[in-house]
Amino acid sequence: MLTSTEHPKFACVFPGQGSQSLGMMTGYGDFPIVRQTFMEGSDVLGEDFWALVNNGPADRLNQTINTQPLMLIAGIAVYRAWQSLGAPQPALLAGHSLGEYSALVASGAMDFADALPLVRFRAQIMQQAVPEDVGAMAAILGLDDEVAKAVCEEITNSSNGELLEPANFNSPGQVVVAGHKGAVLRGMELAQSRGAKRTIMLPMSIPSHCSLMGAVAAKMQQQLEFVALRTPQVPLLHNVDVLSHENPLDIKNALIKQLFSPVRWTETIRSLAAAGVGYVVECGPGKVLSGLNKRIHSNLQSLALADSAALRQAADILI
């Protein structure tokens, strides 16, 4: 254990959609705050998310309208479990896509009870923005970011109104693209011809973080007018610009733009390292972000709070 004056500088990051799985909370059984947080979230939305995460069915758990509030609840539950161990305040916060809402709650900028209906609304408008089977997302592995961007531009310019755009810059050599399904399929073929090691169609019908989501930006703006936001107590880096904002209006604008702009995760992790962060703590089930973070910056130590044992191991290092 470290003395109070020897705490390493660390950041907490929160996973988003794609980290969910059936039974993902079973490893936190000795932290009552986890179940309590799920009960709190379920009361706000009028749905039993504890039963959903434990009993499924999996296809319902994976529906965007359920996954997004579920991952918010899970992230805050794990963060509260971390706090219950006496963890000091992180130096910085960030969240991947949907995880940015968890980061805002953890920062004190947004109340948990306000974030839950906002996230469910976000899921609804995203689902409604593009008809089923019209949009798609795919991961391109093994291409430089600039080459992946060029592939998207070439497909968009030759697709008669269909578009393909970068959606997530996840790590060096991993870019997720989004757009019309036909353009995504053509982009996968072109990427392979340009040297991609692998392309993977993702199990998502919603083309997140691209211009096809621009049509719902006004709806999000209207909804955010009813949400109270405060200056964060802990600075957080936003997906859109990799900057921290104190003004609530700037935060709202970042959340609106996030719908149709790429997630700049590689830059986010590099910015954490540049700020002197030595450890990045992933608050949520799974280890998706920790895997990305190791590929982005080898000198950063990644700690995934994937279960109770991992929580206690991280506490031994940082508390």
Side-chain angles (χ1 to χ4, degrees), residues 97-148:
S97 186
L98 170 75
E100 190 165 296
Y101 290 81
S102 304
L104 282 165
V105 173
S107 77
M110 187 184 299
D111 289 337
F112 185 46
D114 290 335
L116 284 162
L118 178 63
V119 162
R120 171 148 276 186
F121 176 81
R122 177 182 185 266
Q124 288 172 331
I125 61 174
M126 290 176 71
Q127 188 75 66
Q128 295 165 0
V130 179
E132 190 75 22
D133 211 37
V134 170
M137 301 184 76
I140 297 177
L141 307 181
L143 279 189
D144 290 342
D145 289 356
E146 293 305 316
V147 179

Side-chain angles (χ1 to χ4, degrees), residues 96-97 137 165-171 174-177 202 208-209 261-265:
H96 189 283
S97 186
M137 301 184 76
E165 296 174 355
N168 301 340
F169 294 103
N170 281 336
S171 67
Q174 186 185 132
V175 178
V176 173
V177 298
L202 301 180
S208 303
H209 305 295
S261 303
V263 173
R264 294 162 60 180
W265 194 249

Side-chain angles (χ1 to χ4, degrees), residues 39-297:
M39 291 175 62
E40 183 182 344
S42 297
D43 287 345
V44 170
L45 293 179
E47 185 171 348
D48 191 343
F49 282 92
W50 189 253
L52 178 61
V53 76
N54 286 294
N55 305 324
D59 59 349
R60 186 161 168 267
L61 181 144
N62 288 324
Q63 290 174 348
T64 294
I65 195 172
N66 295 321
T67 304
Q68 293 199 12
L70 174 65
M71 288 307 299
L72 171 63
I73 296 170
I76 295 304
V78 174
Y79 185 68
R80 288 176 174 178
W82 172 242
Q83 289 180 308
S84 76
L85 292 174
Q89 185 168 276
L92 286 159
L93 297 164
H96 189 283
S97 186
L98 170 75
E100 190 165 296
Y101 290 81
S102 304
L104 282 165
V105 173
S107 77
M110 187 184 299
D111 289 337
F112 185 46
D114 290 335
L116 284 162
L118 178 63
V119 162
R120 171 148 276 186
F121 176 81
R122 177 182 185 266
Q124 288 172 331
I125 61 174
M126 290 176 71
Q127 188 75 66
Q128 295 165 0
V130 179
E132 190 75 22
D133 211 37
V134 170
M137 301 184 76
I140 297 177
L141 307 181
L143 279 189
D144 290 342
D145 289 356
E146 293 305 316
V147 179
K149 289 180 188 176
V151 165
C152 290
E153 291 175 5
E154 188 169 336
I155 292 296
T156 299
N157 292 336
S158 62
S159 290
N160 296 321
E162 291 194 338
L163 64 84
L164 183 67
E165 296 174 355
N168 301 340
F169 294 103
N170 281 336
S171 67
Q174 186 185 132
V175 178
V176 173
V177 298
H180 292 95
K181 188 172 184 179
V184 171
L185 290 169
R186 291 189 294 276
M188 293 168 72
E189 293 180 2
L190 182 59
Q192 289 175 332
S193 74
R194 297 287 165 83
K197 294 178 181 177
R198 191 179 176 199
T199 58
I200 307 166
M201 182 69 81
L202 301 180
M204 295 179 66
S205 62
I206 298 174
S208 303
H209 305 295
C210 78
S211 298
L212 293 179
M213 291 292 117
V216 297
K219 294 180 181 179
M220 192 66 176
Q221 183 175 12
Q222 291 171 355
Q223 192 71 14
L224 280 166
E225 291 177 2
F226 301 102
V227 178
L229 277 174
R230 299 173 291 273
T231 298
Q233 297 171 11
V234 181
L236 65 101
L237 298 180
H238 292 274
N239 289 183
V240 168
D241 51 18
V242 199
L243 296 173
S244 61
H245 297 291
E246 295 186 354
N247 188 316
L249 182 59
D250 292 334
I251 295 171
K252 290 182 178 182
N253 287 335
L255 293 178
I256 294 165
K257 292 177 182 176
Q258 192 218 56
L259 282 169
F260 55 85
S261 303
V263 173
R264 294 162 60 180
W265 194 249
T266 299
E267 292 175 76
T268 297
I269 296 304
R270 287 174 176 164
S271 291
L272 294 179
V277 166
Y279 291 82
V280 179
V281 179
E282 182 174 0
C283 297
K287 302 178 181 180
V288 171
L289 296 183
S290 294
L292 297 177
N293 299 346
K294 290 174 184 177
R295 291 195 289 273
I296 295 168
H297 203 292

